[in-house]
Amino acid sequence: MTETPTVRTVTAPAGRPVRQLLAASVGNAVEWYDWYAYTFLAVYIADQVFPRSSGNSLVPLLSTFAVFAVGFFMRPVGGLLMGTVADRHGRRAALTVTILLMGGSSLLVGLTPTYATAGILAPVVLVLARLLQGLSVGGEFAASTTFLVESAGPGRRGLFSSFQYVSTSVGQLAASGIAALLVSVLAEGQMNGWGWRVPFVLGALLSLVGFWIRRSAHETRSLEQQHRERPGLFDALRHHPRESLLICGITAGGTLAYYTWTSYLPTYAELNTHIDKADALLAGTLSLAFFALLQPVGGLLSDRFGRKPSLLFFGVGFAVLSVPLLRAGNGSFLSLLLVQCAGMILLTGFTSISAAVNAEVFPARVRAAGIGFPYSLTVAVFGGTAPYVGTLFKELGRPGLFPWYVAVLCLVSSAVYLRLPESAHKELER
């Protein structure tokens, strides 16, 4: 029988809210910095780690992105394993493990030998590093989501939740900025030789900073939960199948819209409007900074007016406007920037409160694992494949179908939002 979350209030310790936010946000930013650095430096990794095949320069790059995809599909495993660690041993323990995993895997990428010196061992080391990164990122969302929401005082869960995507955006911007800086100041030979390794070594050092900050964080799992029987690995799925499916429905439209607008839209614009690549990347960077600033506003509004209005603002907005927005670009920088910023405003209705909504679905005993696995699986299936699906429609000569794909999936999620009970003003079991 499905257990219904009970409602007890345990406020965040006095004087600690900023420290709690810092512990979650710094670590999360470092995690996503490491994750996105791989994407921005893929062309250099390809040249050094993979062999060329029959003179085809695309083969190493395709191999590099295949390894990126492998990392995506390790995220559900990380969500389940690290979520269970958080539920069994505490949120702080899981956050400590994830930041050390990411630091170690980032260092491993930075120290990966070249194919010229190590042969087949080079891509093997890279695959191992990427598997560890996927495990870490999946576990990070499960643990930090739970930690953030449980750290919030009364009426502030939406605000605290919003820092999940603030820190994610900061990490992405840092990775982009550092990669761009290195490319601008180093010669091509230096970038190919050692320059591409610098961001990953830096990521490993930043992970130590995150580890130090997290060690002083306050554990949010209540004493009552700590003394209860520890949950098994599959307890959340076995005892809460409805809630697990609910997380999938809540997330599907949101993750597709998020990866479309924050990662794929510059490429989509290049393919379909022939905008200059530099203009597309600049528009993407500016809109991402705008997006980060919007998150706390969205969180505060949801604390005041409720979660359902925010979610429906996102879901119905994208269902109605995805097609006209994605067709509005005319190949100019200004039109792309306006389209991206308009989408970011709508997207904030989901991203700013997704952590709070997810945490409010599950009881405290299995909250982290309950969120981690279905969320990460849905992200892998719909979010991680967004660039592939969009490019596939273009290859098939039907690029106009991709906006409809986004709209339909957001409409499906909107139907889920309509059925959700309002949880913003209910107390949270700790």
Side-chain angles (χ1 to χ4, degrees):
M1 185 173 178
T2 301
E3 179 183 337
T4 301
T6 56
V7 288
R8 297 175 191 153
T9 302
V10 178
T11 58
R16 285 185 177 268
V18 173
R19 184 184 299 181
Q20 296 291 93
L21 277 177
L22 187 63
S25 299
V26 169
N28 197 49
V30 172
E31 291 268 359
W32 286 98
Y33 162 83
D34 289 337
W35 180 261
Y36 280 111
Y38 183 96
T39 306
F40 295 128
L41 296 163
V43 64
Y44 299 101
I45 296 172
D47 281 342
Q48 298 299 308
V49 177
F50 292 96
R52 295 188 181 277
S53 176
S54 303
N56 188 345
S57 62
L58 284 179
V59 170
L61 187 58
L62 289 171
S63 300
T64 307
F65 280 122
V67 175
F68 179 77
V70 166
F72 246 108
F73 282 91
M74 277 300 290
R75 287 172 62 171
V77 179
L80 182 61
L81 292 179
M82 291 298 103
T84 303
V85 169
D87 289 331
R88 289 175 62 88
H89 303 288
R91 321 312 189 198
R92 188 175 64 176
L95 289 172
T96 300
V97 173
T98 59
I99 196 74
L100 290 178
L101 265 178
M102 182 56 83
S105 58
S106 184
L107 183 62
L108 193 57
V109 174
L111 298 179
T112 298
T114 64
Y115 189 84
T117 59
I120 194 64
L121 180 62
V124 168
V125 171
L126 185 64
V127 168
L128 176 61
R130 199 60 188 174
L131 289 174
L132 291 174
Q133 282 188 325
L135 195 72
S136 174
V137 167
E140 173 69 19
F141 185 88
S144 65
T145 290
T146 307
F147 179 82
L148 270 172
V149 176
E150 291 179 349
S151 294
R156 285 291 179 265
R157 291 199 301 269
L159 175 62
F160 272 56
S161 167
S162 70
F163 280 86
Q164 184 82 37
Y165 278 91
V166 171
S167 53
T168 297
S169 300
V170 168
Q172 188 173 352
L173 286 168
S176 173
I178 289 173
L181 178 64
L182 286 169
V183 170
S184 66
V185 300
L186 296 180
E188 185 71 16
Q190 292 175 312
M191 274 302 298
N192 280 315
W194 55 268
W196 67 270
R197 301 178 186 273
V198 172
F200 298 105
V201 176
L202 177 61
L205 295 175
L206 290 173
S207 296
L208 294 179
V209 176
F211 170 73
W212 177 74
I213 292 173
R214 285 183 166 179
R215 288 191 64 191
S216 64
H218 176 78
E219 175 57 54
T220 61
R221 194 173 58 139
S222 69
L223 288 174
E224 180 186 349
Q225 293 297 332
Q226 292 176 39
H227 290 106
R228 291 184 66 181
E229 181 185 358
R230 292 177 176 177
L233 185 63
F234 298 104
D235 274 13
L237 291 171
R238 187 166 58 247
H239 299 301
H240 303 278
R242 178 183 175 277
E243 286 82 353
S244 298
L245 289 173
L246 197 59
I247 294 292
C248 295
I250 290 168
T251 306
T255 189
L256 175 60
Y258 174 75
Y259 279 96
T260 297
W261 247 257
T262 63
S263 300
Y264 180 57
L265 197 55
T267 302
Y268 179 85
E270 288 176 49
L271 290 173
N272 293 283
T273 68
H274 308 293
I275 189 174
D276 180 74
K277 185 175 183 178
D279 285 345
L281 291 174
L282 178 59
T285 301
L286 292 175
S287 64
L288 192 62
F290 174 64
F291 174 71
L293 295 174
L294 287 175
Q295 299 312 295
V297 178
L300 284 169
L301 288 173
S302 82
D303 283 332
R304 179 167 184 141
F305 300 108
R307 313 288 187 235
K308 285 183 71 170
S310 294
L311 290 171
L312 289 170
F313 170 74
F314 153 72
V316 175
F318 261 97
V320 173
L321 296 175
S322 289
V323 175
L325 281 175
L326 289 175
R327 289 179 175 175
N330 59 15
S332 71
F333 167 79
L334 182 59
S335 69
L336 178 59
L337 181 63
L338 290 175
V339 165
Q340 288 205 267
C341 288
M344 295 303 193
I345 293 171
L346 293 173
L347 189 57
T348 296
F350 168 79
T351 54
S352 63
I353 60 169
S354 66
V357 173
N358 290 339
E360 288 159 356
V361 167
F362 279 93
R365 181 174 178 269
V366 292
R367 181 171 290 140
I371 294 169
F373 180 74
Y375 174 86
S376 295
L377 181 63
T378 308
V379 169
V381 171
F382 294 106
T385 60
Y388 176 82
V389 172
T391 305
L392 178 63
F393 281 137
K394 175 67 175 178
E395 287 293 317
L396 295 173
R398 303 297 298 272
L401 289 180
F402 182 69
W404 285 105
Y405 171 61
V406 177
V408 168
L409 204 58
C410 288
L411 186 62
V412 171
S413 285
S414 296
V416 176
Y417 304 151
L418 277 172
R419 300 291 302 273
L420 282 177
E422 182 55 69
S423 56
H425 307 300
K426 293 181 179 179
E427 298 167 356
L428 185 75
E429 180 192 5
R430 305 293 174 121

PDB file of all heavy atoms in Angstrom, residues 342-367:
ATOM      1  N   ALA A 342      12.538  34.559 -23.754  1.00  0.00           N
ATOM      2  CA  ALA A 342      11.113  34.262 -23.569  1.00  0.00           C
ATOM      3  C   ALA A 342      10.933  32.842 -23.050  1.00  0.00           C
ATOM      4  O   ALA A 342      10.142  32.585 -22.123  1.00  0.00           O
ATOM      5  CB  ALA A 342      10.361  34.454 -24.884  1.00  0.00           C
ATOM      6  N   GLY A 343      11.680  31.904 -23.634  1.00  0.00           N
ATOM      7  CA  GLY A 343      11.615  30.526 -23.171  1.00  0.00           C
ATOM      8  C   GLY A 343      12.125  30.372 -21.751  1.00  0.00           C
ATOM      9  O   GLY A 343      11.573  29.590 -20.968  1.00  0.00           O
ATOM     10  N   MET A 344      13.159  31.121 -21.384  1.00  0.00           N
ATOM     11  CA  MET A 344      13.708  31.044 -20.029  1.00  0.00           C
ATOM     12  C   MET A 344      12.694  31.510 -18.987  1.00  0.00           C
ATOM     13  O   MET A 344      12.626  30.975 -17.878  1.00  0.00           O
ATOM     14  CB  MET A 344      14.981  31.886 -19.916  1.00  0.00           C
ATOM     15  CG  MET A 344      16.144  31.417 -20.763  1.00  0.00           C
ATOM     16  SD  MET A 344      16.619  29.712 -20.437  1.00  0.00           S
ATOM     17  CE  MET A 344      18.198  29.638 -21.286  1.00  0.00           C
ATOM     18  N   ILE A 345      11.902  32.521 -19.330  1.00  0.00           N
ATOM     19  CA  ILE A 345      10.868  33.011 -18.403  1.00  0.00           C
ATOM     20  C   ILE A 345       9.846  31.900 -18.154  1.00  0.00           C
ATOM     21  O   ILE A 345       9.478  31.621 -16.996  1.00  0.00           O
ATOM     22  CB  ILE A 345      10.192  34.269 -18.962  1.00  0.00           C
ATOM     23  CG1 ILE A 345      11.192  35.432 -18.998  1.00  0.00           C
ATOM     24  CG2 ILE A 345       8.974  34.645 -18.125  1.00  0.00           C
ATOM     25  CD1 ILE A 345      10.677  36.661 -19.740  1.00  0.00           C
ATOM     26  N   LEU A 346       9.382  31.260 -19.218  1.00  0.00           N
ATOM     27  CA  LEU A 346       8.432  30.163 -19.066  1.00  0.00           C
ATOM     28  C   LEU A 346       9.059  28.990 -18.315  1.00  0.00           C
ATOM     29  O   LEU A 346       8.439  28.400 -17.428  1.00  0.00           O
ATOM     30  CB  LEU A 346       7.956  29.690 -20.439  1.00  0.00           C
ATOM     31  CG  LEU A 346       7.110  30.660 -21.263  1.00  0.00           C
ATOM     32  CD1 LEU A 346       6.879  30.088 -22.657  1.00  0.00           C
ATOM     33  CD2 LEU A 346       5.779  30.938 -20.577  1.00  0.00           C
ATOM     34  N   LEU A 347      10.289  28.666 -18.661  1.00  0.00           N
ATOM     35  CA  LEU A 347      10.982  27.518 -18.076  1.00  0.00           C
ATOM     36  C   LEU A 347      11.168  27.666 -16.571  1.00  0.00           C
ATOM     37  O   LEU A 347      11.163  26.678 -15.828  1.00  0.00           O
ATOM     38  CB  LEU A 347      12.341  27.349 -18.766  1.00  0.00           C
ATOM     39  CG  LEU A 347      13.155  26.101 -18.472  1.00  0.00           C
ATOM     40  CD1 LEU A 347      12.362  24.837 -18.790  1.00  0.00           C
ATOM     41  CD2 LEU A 347      14.450  26.136 -19.284  1.00  0.00           C
ATOM     42  N   THR A 348      11.309  28.902 -16.108  1.00  0.00           N
ATOM     43  CA  THR A 348      11.508  29.160 -14.684  1.00  0.00           C
ATOM     44  C   THR A 348      10.348  28.631 -13.840  1.00  0.00           C
ATOM     45  O   THR A 348      10.535  28.237 -12.680  1.00  0.00           O
ATOM     46  CB  THR A 348      11.707  30.673 -14.446  1.00  0.00           C
ATOM     47  OG1 THR A 348      12.912  31.070 -15.104  1.00  0.00           O
ATOM     48  CG2 THR A 348      11.813  31.006 -12.966  1.00  0.00           C
ATOM     49  N   GLY A 349       9.143  28.579 -14.427  1.00  0.00           N
ATOM     50  CA  GLY A 349       8.008  28.030 -13.707  1.00  0.00           C
ATOM     51  C   GLY A 349       8.227  26.590 -13.281  1.00  0.00           C
ATOM     52  O   GLY A 349       7.669  26.129 -12.274  1.00  0.00           O
ATOM     53  N   PHE A 350       9.047  25.871 -14.037  1.00  0.00           N
ATOM     54  CA  PHE A 350       9.382  24.488 -13.682  1.00  0.00           C
ATOM     55  C   PHE A 350      10.678  24.395 -12.891  1.00  0.00           C
ATOM     56  O   PHE A 350      10.729  23.815 -11.811  1.00  0.00           O
ATOM     57  CB  PHE A 350       9.496  23.635 -14.946  1.00  0.00           C
ATOM     58  CG  PHE A 350      10.101  22.279 -14.713  1.00  0.00           C
ATOM     59  CD1 PHE A 350       9.343  21.256 -14.181  1.00  0.00           C
ATOM     60  CD2 PHE A 350      11.432  22.031 -15.027  1.00  0.00           C
ATOM     61  CE1 PHE A 350       9.902  20.002 -13.948  1.00  0.00           C
ATOM     62  CE2 PHE A 350      11.998  20.784 -14.805  1.00  0.00           C
ATOM     63  CZ  PHE A 350      11.226  19.763 -14.265  1.00  0.00           C
ATOM     64  N   THR A 351      11.751  24.968 -13.422  1.00  0.00           N
ATOM     65  CA  THR A 351      13.079  24.753 -12.835  1.00  0.00           C
ATOM     66  C   THR A 351      13.210  25.322 -11.429  1.00  0.00           C
ATOM     67  O   THR A 351      13.870  24.725 -10.575  1.00  0.00           O
ATOM     68  CB  THR A 351      14.172  25.363 -13.729  1.00  0.00           C
ATOM     69  OG1 THR A 351      13.865  26.750 -13.969  1.00  0.00           O
ATOM     70  CG2 THR A 351      14.268  24.629 -15.057  1.00  0.00           C
ATOM     71  N   SER A 352      12.601  26.469 -11.175  1.00  0.00           N
ATOM     72  CA  SER A 352      12.790  27.116  -9.873  1.00  0.00           C
ATOM     73  C   SER A 352      12.197  26.314  -8.728  1.00  0.00           C
ATOM     74  O   SER A 352      12.612  26.480  -7.577  1.00  0.00           O
ATOM     75  CB  SER A 352      12.178  28.523  -9.888  1.00  0.00           C
ATOM     76  OG  SER A 352      10.775  28.456 -10.083  1.00  0.00           O
ATOM     77  N   ILE A 353      11.241  25.425  -9.036  1.00  0.00           N
ATOM     78  CA  ILE A 353      10.576  24.697  -7.948  1.00  0.00           C
ATOM     79  C   ILE A 353      10.605  23.183  -8.115  1.00  0.00           C
ATOM     80  O   ILE A 353      10.008  22.463  -7.315  1.00  0.00           O
ATOM     81  CB  ILE A 353       9.109  25.147  -7.791  1.00  0.00           C
ATOM     82  CG1 ILE A 353       8.327  24.894  -9.089  1.00  0.00           C
ATOM     83  CG2 ILE A 353       9.037  26.595  -7.394  1.00  0.00           C
ATOM     84  CD1 ILE A 353       6.832  25.074  -8.931  1.00  0.00           C
ATOM     85  N   SER A 354      11.299  22.682  -9.116  1.00  0.00           N
ATOM     86  CA  SER A 354      11.268  21.234  -9.338  1.00  0.00           C
ATOM     87  C   SER A 354      11.816  20.467  -8.139  1.00  0.00           C
ATOM     88  O   SER A 354      11.295  19.405  -7.782  1.00  0.00           O
ATOM     89  CB  SER A 354      12.036  20.863 -10.608  1.00  0.00           C
ATOM     90  OG  SER A 354      13.405  21.138 -10.485  1.00  0.00           O
ATOM     91  N   ALA A 355      12.848  20.992  -7.494  1.00  0.00           N
ATOM     92  CA  ALA A 355      13.394  20.320  -6.317  1.00  0.00           C
ATOM     93  C   ALA A 355      12.359  20.241  -5.208  1.00  0.00           C
ATOM     94  O   ALA A 355      12.195  19.201  -4.553  1.00  0.00           O
ATOM     95  CB  ALA A 355      14.647  21.049  -5.823  1.00  0.00           C
ATOM     96  N   ALA A 356      11.652  21.348  -4.964  1.00  0.00           N
ATOM     97  CA  ALA A 356      10.628  21.369  -3.913  1.00  0.00           C
ATOM     98  C   ALA A 356       9.479  20.432  -4.246  1.00  0.00           C
ATOM     99  O   ALA A 356       9.018  19.660  -3.394  1.00  0.00           O
ATOM    100  CB  ALA A 356      10.103  22.789  -3.716  1.00  0.00           C
ATOM    101  N   VAL A 357       8.999  20.472  -5.485  1.00  0.00           N
ATOM    102  CA  VAL A 357       7.882  19.618  -5.890  1.00  0.00           C
ATOM    103  C   VAL A 357       8.254  18.144  -5.747  1.00  0.00           C
ATOM    104  O   VAL A 357       7.480  17.336  -5.214  1.00  0.00           O
ATOM    105  CB  VAL A 357       7.464  19.927  -7.342  1.00  0.00           C
ATOM    106  CG1 VAL A 357       6.426  18.921  -7.838  1.00  0.00           C
ATOM    107  CG2 VAL A 357       6.908  21.338  -7.443  1.00  0.00           C
ATOM    108  N   ASN A 358       9.448  17.780  -6.201  1.00  0.00           N
ATOM    109  CA  ASN A 358       9.890  16.390  -6.091  1.00  0.00           C
ATOM    110  C   ASN A 358       9.988  15.947  -4.636  1.00  0.00           C
ATOM    111  O   ASN A 358       9.552  14.853  -4.265  1.00  0.00           O
ATOM    112  CB  ASN A 358      11.244  16.213  -6.779  1.00  0.00           C
ATOM    113  CG  ASN A 358      11.157  16.314  -8.281  1.00  0.00           C
ATOM    114  OD1 ASN A 358      10.092  16.131  -8.865  1.00  0.00           O
ATOM    115  ND2 ASN A 358      12.275  16.619  -8.927  1.00  0.00           N
ATOM    116  N   ALA A 359      10.575  16.793  -3.798  1.00  0.00           N
ATOM    117  CA  ALA A 359      10.752  16.434  -2.390  1.00  0.00           C
ATOM    118  C   ALA A 359       9.420  16.306  -1.670  1.00  0.00           C
ATOM    119  O   ALA A 359       9.287  15.511  -0.727  1.00  0.00           O
ATOM    120  CB  ALA A 359      11.630  17.477  -1.692  1.00  0.00           C
ATOM    121  N   GLU A 360       8.441  17.085  -2.092  1.00  0.00           N
ATOM    122  CA  GLU A 360       7.135  17.060  -1.435  1.00  0.00           C
ATOM    123  C   GLU A 360       6.294  15.842  -1.828  1.00  0.00           C
ATOM    124  O   GLU A 360       5.260  15.576  -1.232  1.00  0.00           O
ATOM    125  CB  GLU A 360       6.384  18.363  -1.759  1.00  0.00           C
ATOM    126  CG  GLU A 360       6.981  19.564  -1.044  1.00  0.00           C
ATOM    127  CD  GLU A 360       6.635  20.907  -1.666  1.00  0.00           C
ATOM    128  OE1 GLU A 360       5.970  20.922  -2.719  1.00  0.00           O
ATOM    129  OE2 GLU A 360       7.046  21.938  -1.099  1.00  0.00           O
ATOM    130  N   VAL A 361       6.768  15.072  -2.825  1.00  0.00           N
ATOM    131  CA  VAL A 361       6.042  13.884  -3.275  1.00  0.00           C
ATOM    132  C   VAL A 361       6.314  12.680  -2.364  1.00  0.00           C
ATOM    133  O   VAL A 361       5.422  11.879  -2.096  1.00  0.00           O
ATOM    134  CB  VAL A 361       6.421  13.543  -4.735  1.00  0.00           C
ATOM    135  CG1 VAL A 361       5.945  12.149  -5.128  1.00  0.00           C
ATOM    136  CG2 VAL A 361       5.836  14.590  -5.683  1.00  0.00           C
ATOM    137  N   PHE A 362       7.571  12.558  -1.868  1.00  0.00           N
ATOM    138  CA  PHE A 362       7.982  11.368  -1.132  1.00  0.00           C
ATOM    139  C   PHE A 362       8.105  11.614   0.372  1.00  0.00           C
ATOM    140  O   PHE A 362       8.460  12.722   0.804  1.00  0.00           O
ATOM    141  CB  PHE A 362       9.347  10.878  -1.641  1.00  0.00           C
ATOM    142  CG  PHE A 362       9.267  10.071  -2.900  1.00  0.00           C
ATOM    143  CD1 PHE A 362       9.413  10.675  -4.134  1.00  0.00           C
ATOM    144  CD2 PHE A 362       9.045   8.704  -2.855  1.00  0.00           C
ATOM    145  CE1 PHE A 362       9.348   9.926  -5.304  1.00  0.00           C
ATOM    146  CE2 PHE A 362       8.969   7.948  -4.014  1.00  0.00           C
ATOM    147  CZ  PHE A 362       9.130   8.559  -5.240  1.00  0.00           C
ATOM    148  N   PRO A 363       7.862  10.564   1.183  1.00  0.00           N
ATOM    149  CA  PRO A 363       8.134  10.665   2.624  1.00  0.00           C
ATOM    150  C   PRO A 363       9.639  10.692   2.875  1.00  0.00           C
ATOM    151  O   PRO A 363      10.437  10.244   2.041  1.00  0.00           O
ATOM    152  CB  PRO A 363       7.496   9.393   3.195  1.00  0.00           C
ATOM    153  CG  PRO A 363       7.510   8.423   2.065  1.00  0.00           C
ATOM    154  CD  PRO A 363       7.309   9.251   0.817  1.00  0.00           C
ATOM    155  N   ALA A 364      10.031  11.197   4.038  1.00  0.00           N
ATOM    156  CA  ALA A 364      11.453  11.436   4.327  1.00  0.00           C
ATOM    157  C   ALA A 364      12.297  10.170   4.263  1.00  0.00           C
ATOM    158  O   ALA A 364      13.458  10.210   3.863  1.00  0.00           O
ATOM    159  CB  ALA A 364      11.593  12.088   5.699  1.00  0.00           C
ATOM    160  N   ARG A 365      11.734   9.031   4.651  1.00  0.00           N
ATOM    161  CA  ARG A 365      12.521   7.803   4.777  1.00  0.00           C
ATOM    162  C   ARG A 365      13.160   7.385   3.456  1.00  0.00           C
ATOM    163  O   ARG A 365      14.279   6.854   3.443  1.00  0.00           O
ATOM    164  CB  ARG A 365      11.629   6.676   5.305  1.00  0.00           C
ATOM    165  CG  ARG A 365      12.342   5.340   5.499  1.00  0.00           C
ATOM    166  CD  ARG A 365      11.439   4.317   6.166  1.00  0.00           C
ATOM    167  NE  ARG A 365      12.121   3.038   6.287  1.00  0.00           N
ATOM    168  CZ  ARG A 365      12.068   2.085   5.371  1.00  0.00           C
ATOM    169  NH1 ARG A 365      11.358   2.269   4.267  1.00  0.00           N
ATOM    170  NH2 ARG A 365      12.717   0.940   5.556  1.00  0.00           N
ATOM    171  N   VAL A 366      12.480   7.606   2.342  1.00  0.00           N
ATOM    172  CA  VAL A 366      13.003   7.189   1.030  1.00  0.00           C
ATOM    173  C   VAL A 366      13.048   8.365   0.056  1.00  0.00           C
ATOM    174  O   VAL A 366      13.040   8.170  -1.157  1.00  0.00           O
ATOM    175  CB  VAL A 366      12.148   6.043   0.433  1.00  0.00           C
ATOM    176  CG1 VAL A 366      12.303   4.774   1.247  1.00  0.00           C
ATOM    177  CG2 VAL A 366      10.685   6.452   0.332  1.00  0.00           C
ATOM    178  N   ARG A 367      13.122   9.580   0.580  1.00  0.00           N
ATOM    179  CA  ARG A 367      12.976  10.758  -0.279  1.00  0.00           C
ATOM    180  C   ARG A 367      14.085  10.876  -1.319  1.00  0.00           C
ATOM    181  O   ARG A 367      13.814  11.122  -2.503  1.00  0.00           O
ATOM    182  CB  ARG A 367      12.921  12.017   0.586  1.00  0.00           C
ATOM    183  CG  ARG A 367      12.737  13.305  -0.216  1.00  0.00           C
ATOM    184  CD  ARG A 367      12.473  14.479   0.698  1.00  0.00           C
ATOM    185  NE  ARG A 367      11.145  14.364   1.305  1.00  0.00           N
ATOM    186  CZ  ARG A 367      10.888  14.668   2.582  1.00  0.00           C
ATOM    187  NH1 ARG A 367      11.846  15.071   3.380  1.00  0.00           N
ATOM    188  NH2 ARG A 367       9.661  14.545   3.041  1.00  0.00           N
TER     189      ARG A 367
END
